[in-house]
Amino acid sequence: MDVEARLSDVVSRIHDSERSAGRPLGSAQLVAVSKTFEADAIRPVISGGQRVFGENRVQEAQSKWPLLKAETSDIELHLIGPLQSNKAADAVALFDVIETIDREKIARSVADEIRRQGRPIRVYVQVNTGLELQKAGIAPDDTEAFVTLCREQIGLEIEGLMCIPPADENPGPHFALLATLAERCKLEKLSMGMSGDFEAAIQFGATSVRVGSAIFGIR
Ligand SMILES: *Cc1c(COP(=O)(O)O)cnc(C)c1O
C-alpha cells in the first residue's frame, strides 16, 4: 500500500469504529502524525484530503510546516510533544492546537503568548494516566484543580484532555480514566488513541486520534 491507500484505510477504520460505537460519522477527528517525515512525504497525505496534522517537536515543525501551510490554506497543526517555556512564542505562532499543557509555568507562558500575538489557538491538558516517571502530563488526581487554575487564574480556556497510555498495558482503562476526568472537568474533547489502539479509543469516546505509523509507515 502507498501512503494515500494507508490514509484511506485509516479513515475507513475510523468510520467503522464510529459506526460500531453508535457515534456520528466524523465525530472522531484524525490527527495525522507526521513527525520525522519530510515535507515531500507529507504532501501526498495533504493531496489525499487530510488537513489535520500532529508534530512532537517545535523546531522540527518549524522546518517544514510554514511552507506546507503556505501551500494549503486550511491546514490545522497540533503540537503533541512536550513544550518548554522558551519555545512558547514559537509554538503559539505556528501551531493551531497545543495538546500538551501540563504545568502552571507552561500554561502561563502559552496564555501570555496567545494574548501578545492575538492568536486564539486551542489547548489541551495532557494527563499522565499511567503515572509514568519518564512521561509528561499532570497526575490524574491533580487534573481537575489544574484545569480550574488554567481557567480561573491564568485565563487559559482548556478545550480537552490528552493522554498517552503506557506502551505495555491494555489502553482501555487509561482511555476510560481520561473520559471520566474530562466529564468531571466539563470538557468534551478527548485526544487519545494512536496507530495500535485508535479503534479502542473511539469506543471509549475519543474525539481525536493521533495516528502516525499506520499512515506514514515505520519511523
Ligand atoms: C508519535 C506519536 C503518536 C503517533 O504514534 P503512532 O504509533 O506512530 O501512530 C501519537 N501521539 C503522540 C504523542 C506521539 O508522540
Side-chain angles (χ1 to χ4, degrees):
M1 277 206 280
D2 63 14
V3 70
E4 289 187 49
R6 288 195 300 264
L7 172 66
S8 328
D9 180 61
V10 167
V11 169
S12 71
R13 285 164 62 196
I14 289 173
H15 288 164
D16 289 344
S17 304
E18 288 168 334
R19 253 188 299 273
S20 75
R23 297 179 43 181
L25 278 188
S27 59
Q29 181 184 54
L30 171 61
V31 179
V33 178
S34 49
K35 65 187 185 197
T36 78
F37 290 92
E38 306 272 327
D40 282 345
I42 299 171
R43 283 193 187 91
V45 178
I46 297 174
S47 304
Q50 180 63 25
R51 291 293 180 271
V52 184
F53 290 85
E55 289 280 345
N56 69 335
R57 291 203 169 92
V58 176
Q59 232 173 332
E60 182 190 337
Q62 281 176 316
S63 74
K64 50 193 177 183
W65 282 102
L67 177 61
L68 291 169
K69 277 187 154 193
E71 290 169 1
T72 307
S73 62
D74 52 348
I75 296 290
E76 180 179 301
L77 193 60
H78 292 225
L79 178 63
I80 60 169
L83 178 59
Q84 308 299 325
S85 302
N86 63 356
K87 291 273 171 59
D90 290 341
V92 170
L94 179 62
F95 289 91
D96 304 289
V97 181
I98 294 178
E99 299 200 10
T100 49
I101 303 292
D102 66 350
R103 58 194 187 280
E104 182 172 347
K105 188 174 180 212
I106 202 72
R108 289 197 186 275
S109 309
V110 167
D112 287 347
E113 284 303 326
I114 287 174
R115 283 188 282 266
R116 198 177 66 80
Q117 299 182 30
R119 239 180 88 71
I121 64 160
R122 291 139 52 201
V123 302
Y124 284 59
V125 165
Q126 180 175 355
V127 183
N128 188 355
T129 57
L131 288 171
E132 293 173 281
L133 290 175
Q134 79 283 9
K135 205 166 266 175
I138 192 122
D141 285 348
D142 299 334
T143 302
E144 207 177 341
F146 182 64
V147 169
T148 303
L149 175 83
C150 289
R151 279 177 179 150
E152 295 179 3
Q153 308 291 319
I154 302 178
L156 187 65
E157 213 37 67
I158 303 299
E159 179 166 293
L161 301 181
M162 177 271 215
C163 77
I164 310 167
D168 55 353
E169 282 182 34
N170 172 9
H174 296 274
F175 296 152
L177 173 59
L178 199 71
T180 301
L181 292 170
E183 208 169 303
R184 270 190 217 146
C185 299
K186 302 196 166 49
L187 295 171
E188 284 171 7
K189 301 286 174 141
L190 290 169
S191 170
M192 55 191 196
M194 319 203 313
S195 291
D197 55 19
F198 68 86
E199 286 147 315
I202 291 169
Q203 304 304 314
F204 283 97
T207 56
S208 60
V209 293
R210 309 177 308 265
V211 180
S213 48
I215 297 169
F216 287 97
I218 49 167
R219 289 182 293 270

